[in-house]
């Protein structure tokens, strides 16, 4: 069975890299941007589409609305790591997994104990003053009545999250490429691999142990050594 093969691959690999998308977080009840119950579908009634509400223009021009939307739709304080996060943290502790590359901004991998986490889209847990660059934790944003202002210089605080119209952090992207190039096993989970940069990143993998785990099919399924269309948390738990 392919689950046995997956277990075997994990056992024989020493340099596993995991690359994850929104599907990793939906199992912790954080909605996916585009799924049925996702942000895009549930916010259709608001005046502007979420692509605007989460854009850099909105942050600059309609900062109060940006933060209202952001706090309501992007932050799930009660979310806890699921089985996928925990298995990956355990694999890192066991010296088998070298990096988690994620498109999620929720910090759940770190909460589960992962240390080397490359966050392509940033994190809600890091926030910086746009004037003096002072760091603020998530709590500071949540405790601010409307627009979070720096307690040192009065500047507006911005989440270190890649908004629409903003580019990815090139340093993080380069490191992600390096880890993928060196990996002996690449597990890709919770992404349909249809959107940049996900699809491009897996092209850097040179090994023969590409494993795809996603609830629906992806365009890369036929190129993978193994592909599973099921819950990533349960599958990884069974395979380790
Ligand atoms: Zn400041």
């Amino acid at each position: 069975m392919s689950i046995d093969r997956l277990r075997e691959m994990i056992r024989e690999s020493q340099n596993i890299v995991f690359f994850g998308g929104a599907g990793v977080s939906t199992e912790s009840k954080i909605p996916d941007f585009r799924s049925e119950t996702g942000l895009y579908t549930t916010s259709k009634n608001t005046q502007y589409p979420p692509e605007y509400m989460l854009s850099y223009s909105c942050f600059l021009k309609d900062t109060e609305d940006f933060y209202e939307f952001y706090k309501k739709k992007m932050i799930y304080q009660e979310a806890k790591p699921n089985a996928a996060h925990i298995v990956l943290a355990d694999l890192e502790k066991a010296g088998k997994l070298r990096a988690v590359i994620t498109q999620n901004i929720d910090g759940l991998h770190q909460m589960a104990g992962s240390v080397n986490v490359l966050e392509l889209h940033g994190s809600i847990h890091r926030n910086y003053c746009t004037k003096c660059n002072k760091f603020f934790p998530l709590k500071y944003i949540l405790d601010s009545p409307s627009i979070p202002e720096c307690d040192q210089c009065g500047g507006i605080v911005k989440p270190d999250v890649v908004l629409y119209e903003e580019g990815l952090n090139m340093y993080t992207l380069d490191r992600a490429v390096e880890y993928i190039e060196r990996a002996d096993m690449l597990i890709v989970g919770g992404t349909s691999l249809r959107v940049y940069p996900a699809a491009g990143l897996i092209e850097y993998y040179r090994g023969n142990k590409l494993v795809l785990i996603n609830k629906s099919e992806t365009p890369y399924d036929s190129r993978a050594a193994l592909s599973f269309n099921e819950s990533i948390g349960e599958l990884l738990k069974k395979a380790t």
Side-chain angles (χ1 to χ4, degrees), residues 16-20 88-89 92 97-102 109 114 116-119:
I16 303 172
V17 170
F18 177 81
F19 175 57
L88 293 166
E92 185 184 24
L97 182 136
R98 299 298 165 88
V100 167
I101 301 164
T102 182
H109 284 291
S114 284
N116 195 24
V117 183
L118 309 186
E119 296 168 309

Side-chain angles (χ1 to χ4, degrees), residues 62-90:
D62 301 308
T63 317
E64 203 170 332
D65 292 343
F66 167 86
Y67 266 114
E68 195 192 329
F69 187 90
Y70 176 80
K71 286 189 202 175
K72 207 190 292 174
K73 298 284 186 179
M74 301 306 278
I75 294 168
Y76 297 86
Q77 274 188 290
E78 63 300 329
K80 294 276 179 298
N82 62 58
H85 297 106
I86 292 162
V87 167
L88 293 166
D90 289 346

